[in-house]
Amino acid sequence: MSLRIPTDLEIARDAAPEPLTSVAERMGLPPELLEPYGDHVAKIRLSALTELAARPRARYVVVTAVTPTPLGEGKTTITVGLGDGLNRIGHRTSIALRQPSMGPVFGIKGGAAGGGYSQVVPMERLNLHLTGDIHAVGAAHNLLAALVDNHLYRDNALDIDPHNISWRRVLDVNDRSLRSVITGLGRRVDGVPRQTGFDITAASEVMALLSLSSSTRDMRARLGRIIVAGSRAGKPVTAEQIGGAGSMAAVLSEAVKPNLLQTLEHTPVLVHTGPFGNIATGNSSVIADLIGLRCGDFLVTEAGFGADMGAERFFNIKCRVSGEAPDAAVVVATVRALKAHSGRHAVAAGRPLPEEMLQESPDDVRAGAPNLVKQIENCRLHGVSPVVAINAFPTDHASELEEVRRIAAESGARSAVCTNVAEGGRGAEDLARAVAEAAEEPSAYAPLYPEDAPIRDKVEAVARSVYGADGAEFSEAAERQVRACERNGLGQLPVCIAKTHLSLSADPSLRGAPTGWTLPVREARPAAGAGYVYLICGTMQTMPGLGSSPAAYGIDLDEDGEITGLS
Amino acid sequence: MSLRIPTDLEIARDAAPEPLTSVAERMGLPPELLEPYGDHVAKIRLSALTELAARPRARYVVVTAVTPTPLGEGKTTITVGLGDGLNRIGHRTSIALRQPSMGPVFGIKGGAAGGGYSQVVPMERLNLHLTGDIHAVGAAHNLLAALVDNHLYRDNALDIDPHNISWRRVLDVNDRSLRSVITGLGRRVDGVPRQTGFDITAASEVMALLSLSSSTRDMRARLGRIIVAGSRAGKPVTAEQIGGAGSMAAVLSEAVKPNLLQTLEHTPVLVHTGPFGNIATGNSSVIADLIGLRCGDFLVTEAGFGADMGAERFFNIKCRVSGEAPDAAVVVATVRALKAHSGRHAVAAGRPLPEEMLQESPDDVRAGAPNLVKQIENCRLHGVSPVVAINAFPTDHASELEEVRRIAAESGARSAVCTNVAEGGRGAEDLARAVAEAAEEPSAYAPLYPEDAPIRDKVEAVARSVYGADGAEFSEAAERQVRACERNGLGQLPVCIAKTHLSLSADPSLRGAPTGWTLPVREARPAAGAGYVYLICGTMQTMPGLGSSPAAYGIDLDEDGEITGLS
């Protein structure tokens, strides 16, 4: 007998998934609404949106977190565990998650489907291609790019300013060499030379747009509104004008349908879209949630990064679009994150935790409390009851876990220690009970700011209320760009503030809940198709690179053709 | 009542496809061997290769053509019609086709799934994404490119010569701006600047490799043999050395399985891989054929371009790899192609036929005969019985069709006039009977040249015997490259001669069967993973561009979310 702990892939492969039609049946989804896509994956037809509309609405729970360390706090595993836990205590529950990007799978991560006994299966499918939605987003995005360059190469009838083309290209790969490129070199027939670059597909506005569409028709209209460039006269040039929106919609006609998978414990999981968490919303799709909300007692969805990031956009962008009010918010915290927020330890991605951080120290946990307290408040700011989920690691001490619970209680929040990574849904039953209680309270959800406020005021509102800043300071360029957005009729859009996810502030090195600082807004860019204005407040990397020993080196097929090395 | 002729998309959408399990059942494929991928598309599990191995082998028919005009001669429609026709006269038949590339769908063509009443359905799926195989090829290809650039950016332990990196990137889009680019610009962390470019995904060596793999294990081994660069010492650097082959295999683990679709008349169609027809083989996959050959009485497969191109590679590369001998070859001819081969008319892509070419003129047809005669001979050269399929157009005259039949008869070849585009399989029953007769004759198939001949001799053999040239002339560079290939142990590979498909010669303007010319070999490049050496004999465009009015402008979704404008 081996005492070795099985890898995520081994656990996932040992699992016997339930036939997906049975999983769907428990959601009240008849087989006619499913399109099977290989074993244990299906797409859900969009006729579900109308066919299920009269059903009772599920409670809507968003899973967010304290400001994460570079290691991540296990938000996906808690989301999965909570779904399983709610099902175990008798509430019919579905989960909604983003599709992981394939690029990082071969870069640093090696996989992203939860972990341990809280996983989504089949994990190889989830991590690679799934049903091809990300590829479709890339194909639609790059088709538009080709049409823009072809317009320039032909008669440039729209008088596009070649130095003012904002539409780049995308690929789902970590490739630093593509960040900045010159295209169109060669002979006359090889196009017009200009400097541009590639982002990873998850950073495409098409991805954000897909995640915020509420129907195929809505998606088609949003595609038309994408701004690709400015004319020499300074007017925005759209995808509709370029003649690309219809074909992009055709390319996306399958990708607009959510995918159905399951957890190891057969809880239904709607996986759909994967927009970036800094320049985009970091939330899975509106369509998946609209369907999932008609499929049982609870829908648990995950928002990216901390409550100042993904949850803020969930409350102020996604829920505004969907018209659906959340009933509870789970704030995932870990002992190690609060210790890191004490400012007494340095934690870096790709490196093991510093030895002294593993020593028992409730005092370090207490020193990191302000971050948790602020993120709890950030849920309440939007009228939603917070529940603290403490993701327990084997190296945590009981006194430290207790300290986190005490901090939550002092903030008036329910809390539960979760051991679902090691134990499956059983380890999240306490959390499930706390969430079910919190969701019983009547929702007082309201967005933070009115749509018709000036863009600057919206940014100020988020900066002061959510980030704890003294205000926002706009560069001259940003001010000019904000004025242009408002002049072009985009002033009513919500804002998406692209700052670091590693701090409540705009400085990734500041731990806890920094005060006495001002949000520096460098640029303001319209995402007119997706439906928000995004503000650049720091250096946002939209194309990752590979490390010196990429995860790709360890991934292969075994003798039976099975994938090895994903984790 | 409207007299308007329905479009291909309308015909396709009006069709009621049979449940795919019934289609498979008639092939003797049990449902357990299928993985459904959305409605009316499935992947076939590779266990079929062993499970069906003991079944009787079908007759193997390759569909090729005269040297095509830029308009194409309707080879796919004849392939589809022949499959339907064989089924109608009582032979259980499957069809094997390449997957169309999505790039050209939005460029000039608008779609490629046959035409009229000889189509593969669902045509929207076939033309867009299908099951994502082309995207998977692109992802695997670009992952390797990222790993190569990352190797260079890190310690360059393999001492790669940055000026000798042959591995480019790929995208499935027509985008002239990407043909020649500089990557790695920016700051130090943004990679090493160098000049490179993108090809369309169909031109990727990974695509060719996938089409020539006979199992997952074979694919994995071939991936490792891909040569991506040369070291400063002049040694080839492989994907295995770069550490990319395992991950690429994981990315391709679904794409290696053939896809099952059906014709409008429910004939099974195996669609798998889509390698380019000039720098690659232009044939669908070995795996699809190995499976299809155990699924009935006949397997009809299509080879790209004329018999000097796709069929030559079918005989000398694909069949050598698969070990399967063809039983008959169909040479598709049209009145308009033979008229064009008279040299009396100019035909250009994207423009209507010249008016005078539509006038009745059996004399023009006769003047173009040498091309048909030579392409018939090219099948016989490999020991395979030819049958001429005359794809009749409404503008053809009876005397002209009769003239084509006479030319075929004079060459000792069976022939039949096909009206299946307008009538479906009924219009190809004569062809089906002729093919069935030809396939009864014992196959004398043999490749043209022995594997162990020097590369130069193989090229000479194809040039003289198949193209009708006086020989081949190698540039100094090509000679040096051939020596390098032989030095690096690649001398035993077959050759893939990349010349124009618009002439039997290397000059696209020469019609008929040109003689008195010499094949100019400019470059010799190893495709060590795919398993051939390719010789550049002309200007090969590996990344198409968009025209002044791309098909994309006419494609959209209608009110019901259905795709319009594909044809």
Side-chain angles (χ1 to χ4, degrees):
Chain A
M1 195 187 114
S2 164
L3 287 173
R4 194 174 63 86
I5 297 163
T7 67
D8 288 354
L9 183 57
E10 285 164 348
I11 292 173
R13 197 165 288 149
D14 281 351
E18 197 173 71
L20 210 55
T21 45
S22 313
V23 174
E25 199 185 324
R26 279 186 282 109
M27 303 168 74
L29 279 182
E32 311 88 73
L33 287 178
L34 297 188
E35 293 176 52
Y37 263 75
D39 295 335
H40 308 299
V41 176
K43 277 198 171 284
I44 301 176
R45 293 182 208 280
L46 293 195
S47 51
L49 286 168
T50 45
E51 287 189 28
L52 311 180
R55 300 226 184 128
R57 182 182 172 283
R59 305 280 169 155
Y60 196 16
V61 181
V62 62
V63 178
T64 177
V66 298
T67 299
T69 67
L71 305 172
E73 305 323 307
K75 204 163 30 159
T76 304
T77 60
I78 292 292
T79 306
V80 169
L82 174 58
D84 289 339
L86 281 164
N87 267 319
R88 292 176 70 94
I89 65 170
H91 299 294
R92 282 192 312 137
T93 300
S94 301
I95 294 168
L97 290 177
R98 281 185 289 172
Q99 182 183 351
S101 175
M102 204 166 71
V105 167
F106 296 103
I108 199 162
K109 292 199 300 182
Y117 289 92
S118 289
Q119 282 192 66
V120 180
V121 288
M123 78 98 95
E124 303 98 313
R125 292 287 306 277
L126 183 63
N127 281 310
L128 304 173
H129 312 303
L130 194 55
T131 57
D133 296 347
I134 295 182
H135 294 312
V137 166
H141 186 117
N142 293 328
L143 173 59
L144 180 57
L147 288 166
V148 169
D149 265 311
N150 195 53
H151 188 90
L152 205 63
Y153 170 72
R154 303 285 169 186
D155 57 357
N156 194 11
L158 295 166
D159 200 31
I160 290 174
D161 177 357
H163 297 285
N164 192 10
I165 299 177
S166 48
W167 198 251
R168 291 155 55 91
R169 287 176 178 80
V170 297
L171 270 183
D172 191 14
V173 63
N174 285 15
D175 192 342
R176 68 183 74 239
S177 299
L178 292 176
R179 288 173 188 158
S180 185
V181 307
I182 296 176
T183 56
L185 296 171
R187 296 158 307 148
R188 188 183 171 74
V189 297
D190 298 326
V192 180
R194 62 185 190 84
Q195 191 162 356
T196 178
F198 284 72
D199 300 319
I200 193 163
T201 308
S204 165
E205 184 180 343
V206 178
M207 181 64 90
L209 180 162
L210 195 64
S211 78
L212 289 168
S213 297
S214 52
S215 67
T216 301
R217 194 175 300 193
D218 182 34
M219 174 188 79
R220 171 64 185 81
R222 286 172 187 267
L223 287 168
R225 294 197 289 267
I226 288 173
I227 295 171
V228 295
S231 72
R232 284 199 177 89
K235 294 274 170 208
V237 174
T238 66
E240 198 68 59
Q241 292 174 287
I242 289 291
S247 289
M248 293 171 80
V251 170
L252 294 167
S253 56
E254 293 292 310
V256 70
K257 304 171 194 168
N259 307 289
L260 181 63
L261 288 82
Q262 61 185 295
T263 69
L264 292 172
E265 301 185 12
H266 317 312
T267 299
V269 185
L270 296 147
V271 177
H272 199 213
T273 75
F276 246 38
N278 49 31
I279 62 159
T281 55
N283 280 272
S284 65
S285 83
V286 164
I287 287 179
D289 285 9
L290 290 177
I291 293 174
L293 281 169
R294 302 292 164 179
C295 291
D297 305 320
F298 278 86
L299 177 70
V300 181
T301 188
E302 182 188 348
F305 299 143
D308 54 321
M309 302 290 290
E312 186 272 310
R313 287 94 180 259
F314 175 81
F315 295 132
N316 293 309
I317 303 179
K318 186 179 178 185
C319 291
R320 212 190 292 253
V321 166
S322 70
E324 297 288 349
D327 297 290
V330 172
V331 181
V332 176
T334 58
V335 164
R336 68 187 191 182
L338 293 197
K339 284 179 169 177
H341 279 298
S342 73
R344 298 171 185 171
H345 307 283
V347 181
R351 290 198 220 136
L353 285 179
E355 192 59 40
E356 73 277 10
M357 228 175 119
L358 303 178
Q359 305 301 314
E360 180 167 6
S361 175
D363 186 54
D364 278 4
V365 172
R366 168 60 60 175
N371 187 274
L372 174 55
V373 171
K374 180 70 188 107
Q375 300 288 32
I376 290 172
E377 185 189 313
N378 284 342
C379 300
R380 286 226 179 83
L381 270 178
H382 297 89
V384 179
S385 305
V387 177
V388 175
I390 306 160
N391 186 17
F393 283 73
T395 48
D396 294 344
H397 299 87
S399 63
E400 298 171 332
L401 294 167
E402 198 44 50
E403 192 64 31
V404 185
R405 296 207 61 179
R406 206 169 292 131
I407 296 163
E410 288 162 13
S411 284
R414 292 176 177 85
S415 72
V417 173
C418 301
T419 54
N420 50 288
V421 172
E423 300 183 296
R426 189 159 60 88
E429 286 184 20
D430 287 348
L431 175 65
R433 273 184 286 270
V435 166
E437 276 176 34
E440 282 301 311
E441 298 171 8
S443 174
Y445 161 74
L448 190 68
Y449 49 78
E451 278 190 338
D452 54 5
I455 289 172
R456 229 192 132 114
D457 291 5
K458 298 177 194 175
V459 176
E460 285 275 347
V462 175
R464 287 176 189 272
S465 306
V466 178
Y467 301 163
D470 292 340
E473 192 166 77
F474 283 64
S475 73
E476 261 183 59
E479 285 201 359
R480 200 174 55 242
Q481 289 154 346
V482 164
R483 280 196 302 272
C485 284
E486 292 178 332
R487 201 169 51 237
N488 292 323
L490 306 174
Q492 84 298 349
L493 294 177
V495 295
C496 181
I497 301 174
K499 69 162 186 69
T500 179
H501 62 280
L502 294 170
S503 172
L504 272 163
S505 78
D507 177 350
S509 71
L510 298 183
R511 300 273 83 86
T515 52
W517 61 281
T518 303
L519 181 74
V521 182
R522 294 191 196 166
E523 287 184 64
R525 299 182 194 163
Y532 52 79
V533 173
Y534 64 105
L535 296 305
I536 308 288
C537 308
T539 315
M540 295 302 123
Q541 187 53 266
T542 50
M543 174 52 96
L546 291 170
S548 54
S549 184
Y553 291 171
I555 297 172
D556 210 328
L557 297 181
D558 65 17
E559 292 290 294
D560 302 321
E562 299 283 340
I563 295 169
T564 58
L566 287 180
S567 63
Chain B
M1 196 187 120
S2 165
L3 286 173
R4 196 173 62 86
I5 297 161
T7 67
D8 288 354
L9 183 56
E10 285 164 348
I11 292 173
R13 195 164 291 148
D14 280 352
E18 196 173 73
L20 210 56
T21 44
S22 313
V23 174
E25 199 186 324
R26 278 185 283 111
M27 304 168 72
L29 280 181
E32 311 86 75
L33 286 178
L34 297 188
E35 293 176 52
Y37 263 73
D39 295 335
H40 309 298
V41 175
K43 278 198 170 283
I44 301 176
R45 293 182 208 280
L46 292 195
S47 51
L49 285 169
T50 45
E51 288 189 29
L52 311 179
R55 301 227 183 128
R57 182 183 173 283
R59 305 280 167 154
Y60 195 17
V61 181
V62 62
V63 178
T64 177
V66 298
T67 300
T69 66
L71 306 171
E73 306 322 307
K75 204 164 30 165
T76 304
T77 60
I78 292 291
T79 306
V80 170
L82 175 58
D84 289 339
L86 282 164
N87 268 318
R88 291 176 72 93
I89 64 169
H91 299 294
R92 281 194 311 138
T93 301
S94 301
I95 295 168
L97 291 177
R98 282 185 288 171
Q99 181 182 353
S101 175
M102 204 166 69
V105 167
F106 295 104
I108 199 163
K109 293 199 301 182
Y117 290 90
S118 288
Q119 283 192 64
V120 180
V121 289
M123 77 97 96
E124 303 98 312
R125 292 285 308 277
L126 182 63
N127 281 309
L128 305 173
H129 312 305
L130 194 57
T131 58
D133 296 347
I134 295 184
H135 294 313
V137 166
H141 186 118
N142 294 327
L143 172 59
L144 181 56
L147 289 166
V148 170
D149 266 311
N150 195 54
H151 188 91
L152 204 63
Y153 171 72
R154 303 285 169 188
D155 58 357
N156 194 10
L158 295 166
D159 199 29
I160 289 174
D161 177 358
H163 297 285
N164 193 10
I165 298 177
S166 49
W167 198 249
R168 292 156 55 92
R169 288 176 178 81
V170 297
L171 270 183
D172 190 13
V173 64
N174 285 17
D175 193 343
R176 68 183 74 240
S177 299
L178 293 176
R179 287 173 189 158
S180 185
V181 307
I182 296 174
T183 56
L185 295 171
R187 297 158 306 151
R188 189 185 171 75
V189 296
D190 299 326
V192 180
R194 64 185 188 83
Q195 191 162 357
T196 178
F198 285 72
D199 299 319
I200 194 162
T201 309
S204 165
E205 184 179 343
V206 178
M207 181 64 90
L209 179 161
L210 195 64
S211 78
L212 289 168
S213 297
S214 53
S215 67
T216 302
R217 193 176 298 193
D218 182 34
M219 173 187 79
R220 171 64 183 82
R222 285 171 188 267
L223 287 167
R225 294 198 289 267
I226 289 173
I227 296 171
V228 296
S231 73
R232 284 199 177 86
K235 293 274 171 210
V237 175
T238 66
E240 197 67 60
Q241 291 174 288
I242 288 291
S247 289
M248 293 172 80
V251 170
L252 294 167
S253 56
E254 293 292 310
V256 71
K257 304 174 195 166
N259 306 288
L260 182 63
L261 289 83
Q262 62 186 293
T263 68
L264 292 172
E265 301 185 10
H266 317 313
T267 299
V269 185
L270 296 148
V271 177
H272 199 212
T273 74
F276 244 37
N278 48 32
I279 62 160
T281 55
N283 280 274
S284 66
S285 83
V286 164
I287 287 179
D289 284 9
L290 290 176
I291 293 172
L293 281 169
R294 302 294 164 179
C295 291
D297 305 319
F298 278 87
L299 177 70
V300 180
T301 188
E302 182 188 347
F305 300 144
D308 54 320
M309 301 290 290
E312 186 272 309
R313 287 94 180 256
F314 175 81
F315 295 131
N316 292 309
I317 304 179
K318 187 179 178 185
C319 290
R320 211 189 294 251
V321 167
S322 70
E324 297 288 349
D327 298 288
V330 171
V331 181
V332 177
T334 58
V335 165
R336 67 186 192 184
L338 293 198
K339 283 180 169 178
H341 279 298
S342 72
R344 298 172 184 168
H345 307 282
V347 180
R351 289 200 220 136
L353 285 180
E355 192 59 39
E356 72 279 9
M357 228 176 122
L358 303 176
Q359 306 301 315
E360 179 168 5
S361 176
D363 185 56
D364 277 5
V365 173
R366 168 61 59 176
N371 188 273
L372 174 56
V373 172
K374 181 69 189 108
Q375 299 289 30
I376 289 172
E377 184 189 313
N378 285 341
C379 301
R380 285 226 180 83
L381 271 176
H382 298 89
V384 180
S385 304
V387 178
V388 175
I390 306 161
N391 187 17
F393 283 73
T395 49
D396 294 344
H397 299 86
S399 63
E400 297 171 333
L401 295 167
E402 197 45 48
E403 192 64 33
V404 185
R405 295 207 62 180
R406 206 169 293 131
I407 297 163
E410 287 162 14
S411 284
R414 291 176 178 85
S415 72
V417 174
C418 301
T419 54
N420 51 287
V421 172
E423 300 184 296
R426 190 159 59 90
E429 285 184 22
D430 287 347
L431 175 65
R433 272 183 287 269
V435 167
E437 276 176 33
E440 281 303 309
E441 298 171 9
S443 175
Y445 161 75
L448 190 69
Y449 50 78
E451 278 188 340
D452 53 5
I455 288 172
R456 230 191 132 115
D457 291 4
K458 298 178 193 174
V459 176
E460 286 275 348
V462 175
R464 288 176 189 272
S465 306
V466 178
Y467 303 163
D470 291 341
E473 193 168 80
F474 283 64
S475 72
E476 261 183 58
E479 284 202 359
R480 200 173 56 242
Q481 289 154 347
V482 164
R483 281 197 301 273
C485 284
E486 292 178 334
R487 201 168 53 236
N488 292 323
L490 305 174
Q492 85 298 347
L493 293 177
V495 295
C496 181
I497 301 175
K499 70 161 185 67
T500 179
H501 63 280
L502 294 171
S503 174
L504 271 162
S505 77
D507 177 349
S509 71
L510 298 183
R511 300 273 81 85
T515 52
W517 61 281
T518 303
L519 180 74
V521 182
R522 295 191 195 165
E523 287 183 64
R525 300 184 194 161
Y532 52 79
V533 173
Y534 63 105
L535 295 305
I536 308 289
C537 308
T539 315
M540 294 303 123
Q541 187 54 266
T542 50
M543 173 54 94
L546 292 169
S548 53
S549 184
Y553 291 171
I555 298 172
D556 208 329
L557 297 181
D558 65 16
E559 292 290 293
D560 303 320
E562 300 284 341
I563 295 169
T564 58
L566 287 181
S567 62

